[in-house]
Structures are given as C-alpha cells and as structure tokens.
Amino acid sequence: MIPTADVERWLCEDVGHHDVTNQVPGETTGRLVAKEAGVAAGLEAARAVFEYLDVAVLDSLTAGTAIEPGDELLRVEGSARDVLRGERVAVNLAGHASGIATRTCEAVEAARKESETVQIAATRKTTPGLRGLEKRAVVAGGGDTHRLDLSHMVLVKDNHIAELGLEDAIAHFRERVSFATNLEVEVETVADAARAAEAGADVILLDNMTPAETREAVEELAAFDVIAEASGGIDLETVPAYAATGVDVISMGSLTHSAPTLDLSFRTGN
Amino acid sequence: MIPTADVERWLCEDVGHHDVTNQVPGETTGRLVAKEAGVAAGLEAARAVFEYLDVAVLDSLTAGTAIEPGDELLRVEGSARDVLRGERVAVNLAGHASGIATRTCEAVEAARKESETVQIAATRKTTPGLRGLEKRAVVAGGGDTHRLDLSHMVLVKDNHIAELGLEDAIAHFRERVSFATNLEVEVETVADAARAAEAGADVILLDNMTPAETREAVEELAAFDVIAEASGGIDLETVPAYAATGVDVISMGSLTHSAPTLDLSFRTGN
Amino acid sequence: MIPTADVERWLCEDVGHHDVTNQVPGETTGRLVAKEAGVAAGLEAARAVFEYLDVAVLDSLTAGTAIEPGDELLRVEGSARDVLRGERVAVNLAGHASGIATRTCEAVEAARKESETVQIAATRKTTPGLRGLEKRAVVAGGGDTHRLDLSHMVLVKDNHIAELGLEDAIAHFRERVSFATNLEVEVETVADAARAAEAGADVILLDNMTPAETREAVEELAAFDVIAEASGGIDLETVPAYAATGVDVISMGSLTHSAPTLDLSFRTGN
Amino acid sequence: MIPTADVERWLCEDVGHHDVTNQVPGETTGRLVAKEAGVAAGLEAARAVFEYLDVAVLDSLTAGTAIEPGDELLRVEGSARDVLRGERVAVNLAGHASGIATRTCEAVEAARKESETVQIAATRKTTPGLRGLEKRAVVAGGGDTHRLDLSHMVLVKDNHIAELGLEDAIAHFRERVSFATNLEVEVETVADAARAAEAGADVILLDNMTPAETREAVEELAAFDVIAEASGGIDLETVPAYAATGVDVISMGSLTHSAPTLDLSFRTGN
Amino acid sequence: MIPTADVERWLCEDVGHHDVTNQVPGETTGRLVAKEAGVAAGLEAARAVFEYLDVAVLDSLTAGTAIEPGDELLRVEGSARDVLRGERVAVNLAGHASGIATRTCEAVEAARKESETVQIAATRKTTPGLRGLEKRAVVAGGGDTHRLDLSHMVLVKDNHIAELGLEDAIAHFRERVSFATNLEVEVETVADAARAAEAGADVILLDNMTPAETREAVEELAAFDVIAEASGGIDLETVPAYAATGVDVISMGSLTHSAPTLDLSFRTGN
Amino acid sequence: MIPTADVERWLCEDVGHHDVTNQVPGETTGRLVAKEAGVAAGLEAARAVFEYLDVAVLDSLTAGTAIEPGDELLRVEGSARDVLRGERVAVNLAGHASGIATRTCEAVEAARKESETVQIAATRKTTPGLRGLEKRAVVAGGGDTHRLDLSHMVLVKDNHIAELGLEDAIAHFRERVSFATNLEVEVETVADAARAAEAGADVILLDNMTPAETREAVEELAAFDVIAEASGGIDLETVPAYAATGVDVISMGSLTHSAPTLDLSFRTGN
C-alpha cells in the first residue's frame, strides 16, 4: 500500500508552484523501458503516482520479474499533462527500487554458488521515508526483509550486553517482549555465540567475523535450535565465502544503502 | 530547514509501535564517526533528528568538510533512550548525503584535470522525499544543484519540439514563463544547438553527444550568450573528456541516484 | 514516542477555531488524580500534550503503577490558558489507557489463580489511531502486546486454509516471510492443531474452543516446540478456566475494545 | 465526511511495512454481520476505509438502525487482497461506534421510562482522534451531541467562577463570545443555579447533584428561559431518577468513554 | 493555537528546496513596524513562525491594539539566518490579519454613529486555510465571529425552505441539532421573518433587504425573543443606515474577503 | 495540481464535527455565476473541491477568461449533500483567485496605456498557504509570477549589501547559486543600478524610486544586458507613470495582498 500522502509529497516536491512545461494539450501514452538488465521492483509505487494523477495504468510487470534491455515495465495512458507530471517521480521510484532488487539478486546468485539455502537479508540501513519500498524491493530480488522496524524483532546489542551482561540482557528483554516477537543477539566471538544460544536467543548475529570464525560459530550453534546470521561489511565479493560457512542468513546493508539505480527510460507518444 | 513532519515520519517508520530495546536507563553521549574518507553532508538532517528527540547536539561538522577515517562528524548527548532512538535514522541520513557529496567531489576533481571552470551539476533524478537533502549534498561536494523542481527553470524537451517545432516551442514557453525563470532547450545535434541559441534559449542542453560533438557544439555556441550543458550517461570515467570540450556545465544523474553511502558508524558511551 | 502530529490533531479537534474560555490570565498548577483504584497508563501521551503546549510536567507516575483513589498521576505547571487547553485531551488519553491497563491487570490476576505463567495478550482489535497507546497500556497492565500490526507476525487464517489447504498454506507463507517473523496458524480442532504444528507453525491459535478442547489441544501440542494460544470470546469470567488448560497465551479483544475508562479528575489551582 | 488522511493513518497503523498474508489472489465479497443486538453506527467510516482501497461498497445500513444478531450491516466486493486489508480497521470502527450508539440507546430508553422529552447527551470525554465519529454515534443512538468542541458553546466552570465571581464571569464571557454561541454555567447548588439564570446563562449545568437537588433546581429554574442539564457520574442505573426530575438534558461521559464494542464479525467469500 | 503543521507548511512554501540568501552569519534583531494606522492582529501567528525557527520573540502587541505609523508590533532576536527565513511569512500573516481587524474596526465605528449596540459580524467567506486567524482578527477589530463553521450554528437557507416549507424546515433541523446549537433562518420578506420567529428560530437573517425593510422586520420581530441579523452586500457606506434600523447584528463578507493588507515593514539590524 | 491534503484541510475547516444542514436528500446541480465583471481564476481549485466530494464537474471556464455579470464559471452535478458541502469553499477559492486575476488585469490595462511590453508582476506578499493559487491567478490576469519562492531567484537586498558591499555581495551569491538561477539586486539609486549591472546582476530592482528616477535608471541600464524592475508602493493610479519609464517589469504586492474578492454566487437546483 503506497499512502496517498507520500505520492502527493513526492509530486509536490518535484513540480513546485507553477510548472509551465506540463501545459501540453492532448492525450498520450507512456512506457517505462529498461536500458539495462536487472530485476523489476517499485512498480506499485510508480503505479500509485500515475493513479493519483488519474492516468490509466494499462499494464505493469510483477515485482521480481527479470528484465532485459528494451523490456517494458509499465505502460500508461492519459492526458499528456498528467503523464508528464508523473514521469520523473515514477522513474526515480522504479529505478531506485529495481536497482535494489537487482543488487539483491546478484548477491543471492553469488551466495547460491556455495549454498542452496542461505538467505540474503537487508538491514535497517534504508533511505529515510522509503523503508517499505526498499524492503519490498529486496524481496523482489529474492532476498529477505530482515526486521522491518525496531518493534518487529528485538536485537540485543553490545551496549546492552556491556551494561547488563549477556545472559541477563537476554533475560531482561525476553521478559519484556511479546511471545510474537523473536529475539536476536549480536555477538563477536564464537564463545559468546554459544552463550547466547544457551540463554535462549532465537537468532544469533555473528558480527564482523571472518568466514573461518563464522564457520566455527555455525558448528558450535548446530547443537541449538537457533538461526545463525552473518553480518558486517559483507559485499558481493565476499558473500560466497560466508555462504560456504553454513550460516542461515547473510545480511548486507549495501543492498539498500549503496545499490546504484537501474537505468530506465520513460518514452511518451507512439 | 528540515521539516519536523519529515523527521517524525522518518523516526516513526523506524521505531514502530513498541520498541523495548530503547528502554535503557541513564544518559549517554554519541559520536558519528567516519570509517572511510569523503565529504561530510546531511548533518543538518541528523541534527534535526536528535533535536526532535531532545538530545543535545554538542558539535557537528559544516557541510562540505573533507573527512578522513576516524573523524568525528557529530557529537550528541542525552538520555540513552533517545540517543538510541535517533541513531539509525541519523546515520542513514548522514551516510546517504555524505555519499552523494563524496561522489560529487570525485566528479569535480576528475573534471578539474581538464577544466578550471566547468560546473558539475545534479539532475532531478533524486530519491523521492529527499530532493532538498540531496541537492544540498551536491553543493557540499562542490557541485551545482541544477534546477530544483519543474517550476525553477523551463526545460524544453524533445516531445515539446516534436509537437511545436524548435523555434515555436521556445517562443511558446518564453511567453508563458516569468522573467525570473531561465529557459533551457534539450538538443541532440550541433545544428539544433545553434538554432536554439538563435531562438533565445538561456541554456542549451547537449544531450547524449560524444565529447567530439560536444566540443563542436560548444564552438558553435561561442557566438551566443548562452550556457552550454552536457548530459547523458556521463560518469566518473568520461567526465574529464567532457570537461575538456569547454562546456560550461556537466550534469550527472548518478551523483544522486547511484552514489553509495559513505561508511559511518555511531558510537555511544565514553 | 508520541508523534507531535497526533498531539496537534487531538488538541485541534477539541479546541476548534475560537475558544474564549481559555482566556484566563496567570499561572496555575494542575494535578491528574485518580477517583478509583486501577493501573496507571497513557501518561506519556498526557505528558506529550502538556509539553506541546509548553506546560512543564513536574512529575508523573511510571506506566504500570497501581493506583488508589486520591493518588496523583501527573502534576503540571504553566500558564492557566495552556493548562486548561490541555486538560481534557490529557484526561481522555490517560483515562482511556489506564482503563485498558486496569482491565488487563484484572484479567492477569484472574488467570494467575490457575496458572503462574500464562500470558494475557491483546489483539488487533484496537481503536483506530491509538494502536501504540493501547498496546503499551496492555503491557502496563501486565499483559502481552501480541502482534503489533499485520507485518509483525503472520497469522494464517481460515480463508487461507480454505483456499490452499492447511499444510500448503503454511508452506506458502513460510516461504514468503522473513526469518525474523513468526508464523501463527488459526485452527478450530485438535486435529488441525497437531497438523499445523507438524507443518512448522511457531504459534497455534486455538480459536473458539471450550476449555476442555483447549486442554486436549495443549496436550496434543506438548510434543512440538510451539506456543499454544487460546482465543475467542474469553472474558474475565472464563479466563481462569482457560488458564487452567495449560495454554501459553490467552488473547482477549475486550482488553482494548471494551475496557471502560478509569475515572480520573484534573484539578487546577492550589 | 471522513478525511482521507484519517483513513490512511488507520490503515498504515494496522498494515505495517510488509504484510504477506494479504497476498491472496482473486475477488471476494465481504459482509459485516452483527453477533449481538444493538444500534448500527460508524458505517460511514467503514465505507470510507473500503472506498480508499477501491473496494466497492454494495450496501450499508443507515446509522441508527436497530440490528439483531445475524443482521448484515455492510456488504463489499473487491479484490481479496484489498478486502482483507480493510477488514480489521472497518470492524474496529463500526464496532466501536455501534457500541456507543447502543449504549446511548439504552440510556435513552431508560430515561424514557420517566420522561418523554429529556435529552441524553454526550460530553467532550471522547477518544482522541475520533470526536466526530463518536458524536455521530451518539446521535445514531438517539442522543444529543452536546458541544462539539470548546468553540461551540461556552461553559463557565468552577475555576472561572472562583476567580471572577459568578455574575461577573458570565458577563465576562458573554461579552467575548459571538451571538451565535450559547453560554452554559456549571453550578453545584440550587441557589447558584438561579443566580446563573438570572445573570443570563442559556444553559445551567447542575453538576453532581442528587436527583432531589436536581428536581429542586429545575423547579427554581422554571421561571427562566433556560435549559437545565444534569451531569456527574450518571449511569444506566441512575438515569431514570434524573429523568424524573424534569431536567431538559442529562449528559453522560460514559456514552463515549466506557461503552463496550458491539460484537461484529466480518465474513468473506460466499 | 497556531498548529505547527501550518507554520511548517507556510515556511516550506516560501523557502523552497535551497535558499542561499539566508546564508548570513551572526545574530540580528527584527522589528515589525506599522507604515499606516490601523488595528493589530495576527501577531500570535507571526510569533509562532519565529518560535518555530527558534527566534526569540521579545515583545509583541496584544491583538486589538490601535496602532499608528511607526509603531512596533513585534520584536524578535535570533540568528540572522532564521530571522530572515521567517520575515516574509510573518509579515504576510500579520499584515493580512491586521488589515481585517482594521476594516472591521472601521465598520464598527461607522455603525456606532447610529447604534450603540449593533454587532458587526463576519461570515464564512474566509480565505481557505485561515478561518481561525481571520475570525480572531475580526474579534480584534471589535467584531463578532458569527458562526465558526457549519457545525457551530444551523442556518436554514432558501433551498431548505423551498424543499420543506419554512415551518417544517425549522422543525426538521431543530429536531436534528443539539440543544447546544442555535438555529438561524434566512428570510427575504418581513412576513417570513415573523413566521420564522413564530416557528422557533433563535436568529433571523434578514437577507438582501433595504434598510427600510430591515427596520420593518426588526419592529415585527420585537415581539419575539430572537436576534435579528441584516446581511447581503452591506459595505462601509451602507452600514450606518442598517445600524439605524435597530437590527442586532450586521454581517459583512467583505471584512474577511476584501480587506486590503495593513502596510507593515520588517526592519532588521539595529 | 491542487494537493488533496489542502482540499481536505479546507473542507474540514468549514464543516466541523457534525453539520446537519447538509443532510439533504437527492441530486442537484450547482452553478458558479459571476455577479460582476472580471477575470476568472482559481477554478482548478474549485474543481478539486468538488471532485474530492465525488461531485461531477460538468464544465468550467479556462483561467484567464474575461467574464461578465451572469456568466457561468463552473457547473457541477451530484448529491445535494456533497454539492452543499463544497459550495462555500469553492466560492471562497474562486472568488479570491478571480479577484486577484481581475486586479492584475486592471493593472496590465493601465500599464498598456503607456507601454506595449512592460510586465506586471506579483511579489512574495501572498496569503500563507495559497502561494501557488495566487501566482497562477496573477498569470490568469495577464501578469507575471515573479519569483515563486526564495529558491527560485536570488534577490540581493539592502542588508546583504550593507554587510558585504554591493559588488562583493553579488560575487558572493553568484558563487553560491546554480547556473539555473537568476540573480536580482535591489538598489535605491541610479548609481547603484549601474554598479549592480556592471557586477553581473541579471535583474535590477529599482526600489522606491520616482518615475523620473526610474526612467533615468532605465536609460543608464540600457548599456547592459539586464532586466529592469520597478517596485515599491506602485498602485493602479501610478502604474502608467512607471510603465512610461521603459522599465521591463513593474511588481506590485497589492495584486495578491489587497485585491478584493470577485463577487460570485453559487446557485443550486434548476
């Protein structure tokens, strides 16, 4: 669901108080076309922009569709004025989201070389205002959203542990969260990973470990019913090495904060 | 000016309905520290986040400051609960904006090898919701905002020209815009560049030309009082070649839509 | 965190375009006082109302504190005009939330007669616009928030099962949700409870079962690592019987949608 | 009129960033059905929720209609995804408002045993954010809105009287309010009731008086062209006794702040 | 109460995405000074603008104060950047409101030549978005707000009467409105004025009558306990003639929709 | 583009919590009719109000159309309830904007007596919240928007010059603004006009000069490629004298801050 208030804010931001170049008569069609290969995402937001402007959306790809140069992602029809008004915002949204989906897909493919099952997950390192759009783009690319916000899953971090001690911190938060909420613990050593699992964590975040350390931790955790997640500066180069460790999840901030846009163009007229 | 409504939306998006991990007693300090070299930007937004939460901002770098790994960009002090609440949003904003400033600075430096005066400009290809933040980040990196929204400068594009003819399109829009507003015309040939200048354009956008064509157009335009801008898929590799053509402005969508984040970390406690 | 936009909306709704009765000179203090026994909640919202109006909050009880008639929940000081402006909204918020906390506490106490560990949980049957306030009030009363929104935990319901079949529905959604998200399945028979657990549900919702059926289902589920939740028209009268079944969680919509306000009064002056 | 911004806020609050359970293909119908007897209200808000989601509203009851278990209040048709998205919010709104209408109707019926004409009125003790919805629900139940906000009618209260004196306070506010606005005075004694009427009040609020005192005051006020209102902790039990006093209006905060929801269920499919 | 959201919208509208002229170092003072005589109003809005920008408001006149050229209405102190940012919006608000207050004062003075008691009232013909500001400006000028919105007082108009008949229309709406709400009836003949009073209207709006007809209607209405209001194209020239008729209220749309701004200037520095 | 959020705010402001007079059955048509001659504007806002209410807009005049008494500006059709709800807000918007367009047209006609080419421009002295509406109304009347906001064109003012010196202030801001943005300098003497042009200003604002001084400055500026603008208290009386000076632009704050409404009436039914 793309809130109307967001669409309106995005359009007002781009149009300003008095745009004369949109004063074009007649009807037109518009096509959003890929200029490079990738994975489509963000089209529900691009649709919402055009629908807000009363431009008919004739067709659009499903999020997650692999696209080649020349493929059409979205087709619209309406007054030239309104098609032109929506064009830039729609392209910015779809290009941004498709860039994230494409980067995620590349990471998943890199990981698949070494593991059939490892999940590639995003983080909370998203662009302010676009959390939902970006998380859905990660899913479109074959990734996992990871936690959606601070209320979705508890993450016990180093500062909590420093203050309360590892076991007490876990107990402290377990007591305070709903049965509906999972509890993850961030650790930096194999020993702490085992302690956290022992103390009842649902997920163990193995932070900034080497692949070798990660593998060791994963083996240590095999005895527990926990999910093991590797994180910390992992990129497309290093993701296979982590995938090979047997870890369940690899999370990468770069999926959302550093993916380049997917190059799309918007063509009006026939 | 960072609107309170934006800050609130960003924070609510990240916090959700019930976050227990922020339930930490006591006061703390927080420091936003660079993990790689670059150019600082977006700190006015990070400040606004903390100020919304009644966390005191003790110090922050000026936008545009060059930073090295380990440099401190921002220092805050307040209740641990509120510092932790603001941390992620503040880092996301500052990292994103500093990434854009850094990329812009790299483009400016690349261009300076061939031209003392060429301006490196952004486009309207910004992230929806963050137009102002990103434009200011471009300025922090030594770049030019280019037009801020559709109402700021008229850009006569191919579809206008296709419908009205080049000279008539220029006359049509000149009649409709304020004396306060400049008028730019997008052309794809040297001949059209001269025609547009003749017809009274203030700025000529040389779209998708090779450096050689660009140079030819620049020479042709020397007879007119116009600004010449090169655009279309120019990147860090090709920017020096365009800078060498004598063009006044080079605009690059990648400054805002494809700059990776600058790696920053937020450290709490003493 | 109480968004400023909410506080502003609540106050504007109550004040209207031109209130003359607030045109009172001088400074005053105000005290929010209980007229009946219960559990305090919602005071962070009442604080936010007064702080928006620049009225100083001198003291306030912690959410979850048991209160007796005559106890003071909140004390403020400021211009008489602004204290009067905030009074009604603050009382409405605190009375509503404290009513929920009090009702929750009663349900927990009723359940404790039969079980030391059963959790009393709320549902999504909250008052639109007040989800966070009401969930936190449930926590203040000793209850569990249950899922905060649709994205927090997956609940596979009868219509999903009708369409896909129980096992396939579980597999379908497991594949689509994050590792961070739990998956609950709503069942109406003991047999289905076991099937759902077998198929990998994290939580089994035993819907509209009698205490006897619930007990049978709980015994059946003992072989699995699942959480068992009873729901469906359970009230203060029937909660002990369900608590006695050994179920892990009892959820009650009435905690949020039918709790009467806690009777509070606001006294100004000395 | 239900503002779009409210509908959007209610839906976003319930859906969160990424709900997968709504990912259901096909079209469906939905029916809002009563599980207990009462009075329908809030359906204009439930309609607005579905219309926002582009779900067709085929039929809905008029506010104020008496309903029996099994009666259908609202019927909708649309994509299963959108019907499911709106369901919970629509039920929460309609159940809440119908609960208020039902409670109001009970109070009116109780009062009718002793008086043909007495009005049962709400107060400003409404749920923040839902003032209009709740006031209209009171009307649906046969009650009177009383003042809608502070600007609608002046209420001279004890603190005003303490500061200025009764007659002077009335004169003070009469001078400051529009001819369009009525002026009510809150009194606690029969003597003050007469003084207030003498001084020109339009409405006299007899606060926290017994039925006997109320009757005495009503008789005293018969000589004046004023409306007499009884208020202060009056409930379904005590309302007939107050109705019998001849008072014109009985106001009850409990209509809005303590009415339990009306039990409604939403059934999808055929 | 000036909502923060309004202040923010006004400022963003005026500043745009990137204003460089406010990039001025240092602290400054600012003074809002009258360039012509009139009545001060709107200063609470001007204050709110500066307070939003963290500019200290050192002093400001009370709404309704008569001012002469050179008089200072408001004095502020803060960073030059923020004083400059707020200047234009503050002047626009205060000038607009003071213009309305001044025009109202002129109308009141004109009416006073013929009547000691007649009220000069505004209408609902206000500038969208500024209802409260303008109604308060009318009060500052010595006028009456008249009804604040459609819910404040019922106005039975010609189309209602055409459909239901005069007496039935009054009965219809009397039954539907709160005891707290007055009921006004718009009539165009003396005979209908009397019928409306007879039927129980609280206020009679004598629409588009000549002063002679108005006087006749006022005499006819003397027998009833009603308020008589004259309306319809009355201006500063004709207001004394209407005041002389003995009518209770004269309402003038021009107070809010056609009052020129009061000429104010904003002076920075010492 | 009229944001939905604005339409909603305007309607809520006028309707309040519970309006009963709109409770009118059946369908109706409504016609917005001129009661005096002028220029139509603001109809896109009036349309947006009715469309928000699902009232069909059958026909409306184009902004800028000259109208005579009795001319129809807008025709709508829909449920009587919704037509009545939108009526007042629509009239207020269209009357306000048409008043500005009419006043602008009068100023243009006055100027045309002395100059074929001079532009009549508005200023930033607009009504807060209505910048876009008012600027477009000025265009409808044949005027020029002038700068839309602070980011649209730089205006170097006296306080900048006082601090930095004229030439340095121009250089300072030229360095800081985009090539896309024009730079205007406010001067009060002929000598400074020439200095500003020499220093590279694009536009020279001749502030508070007499027509004679203005003419002298215009002659002085003939040697430069600059636009000359006259401003400062120019009204319908004095505009021809300024037009005769040869200045390019005359700006008048009164177009937006002091234009009386155009008298329009809204007629429902047949």
Side-chain angles (χ1 to χ4, degrees), chain A residues 119 121 139 144-149 151-153 176-182 184 203 225 227 229 249, chain C residues 119 121 139 144-149 151-153 176-182 184 203 225 227 229 249:
Chain A
Q119 295 279 336
V139 171
D144 185 297
T145 61
H146 207 297
R147 63 175 174 163
L148 297 166
D149 57 34
S151 302
H152 183 209
M153 177 166 68
R176 279 161 179 74
V177 297
S178 172
F179 73 91
T181 309
N182 283 312
E184 180 168 20
V203 186
D225 180 22
I227 293 169
E229 172 186 353
V249 178
Chain C
Q119 294 280 336
V139 171
D144 183 297
T145 60
H146 208 294
R147 64 175 173 162
L148 297 166
D149 56 36
S151 301
H152 183 208
M153 178 165 68
R176 280 162 178 74
V177 297
S178 173
F179 73 92
T181 310
N182 282 313
E184 179 167 21
V203 186
D225 180 23
I227 293 169
E229 173 185 353
V249 178

Side-chain angles (χ1 to χ4, degrees), chain D residues 4-90:
Chain D
T4 303
D6 283 352
V7 172
E8 193 157 293
R9 195 161 37 240
W10 299 332
L11 283 167
C12 288
E13 177 188 71
D14 189 47
V15 173
H17 294 305
H18 185 58
D19 169 33
V20 300
T21 54
N22 287 341
Q23 295 173 2
V24 176
E27 300 282 307
T28 193
T29 55
R31 297 161 56 239
L32 184 62
V33 178
K35 296 173 71 176
E36 61 178 323
V39 176
L43 297 175
E44 84 283 12
R47 287 181 76 105
V49 168
F50 285 117
E51 286 167 356
Y52 177 87
L53 293 164
D54 287 326
V55 170
V57 178
L58 304 180
D59 200 13
S60 73
L61 292 186
T62 303
T65 306
I67 48 181
E68 292 301 319
D71 283 0
E72 182 182 301
L73 287 81
L74 185 84
R75 182 184 304 206
V76 300
E77 187 175 69
S79 78
R81 186 191 67 166
D82 293 323
V83 171
L84 290 173
R85 266 190 188 151
E87 166 185 356
R88 174 50 43 212
V89 174

Side-chain angles (χ1 to χ4, degrees), chain F residues 135-209:
Chain F
K135 291 285 192 180
R136 289 190 298 270
V138 166
V139 171
D144 184 298
T145 61
H146 208 296
R147 62 175 174 163
L148 297 165
D149 57 35
L150 287 166
S151 302
H152 183 211
M153 177 166 67
V154 160
L155 180 49
V156 182
K157 303 191 79 168
D158 50 0
N159 59 340
H160 299 123
I161 293 171
E163 192 175 341
L164 298 168
L166 194 151
E167 284 80 3
D168 283 359
I170 294 173
H172 173 89
F173 287 117
R174 181 62 83 191
E175 194 183 314
R176 280 162 178 74
V177 297
S178 173
F179 72 93
T181 310
N182 283 312
L183 188 149
E184 179 168 21
V185 180
E186 182 181 294
V187 297
E188 296 187 336
T189 66
V190 175
D192 280 355
R195 284 174 62 195
E198 186 73 49
D202 298 304
V203 187
I204 310 294
L205 192 158
L206 308 168
D207 197 32
N208 289 318
M209 291 188 184

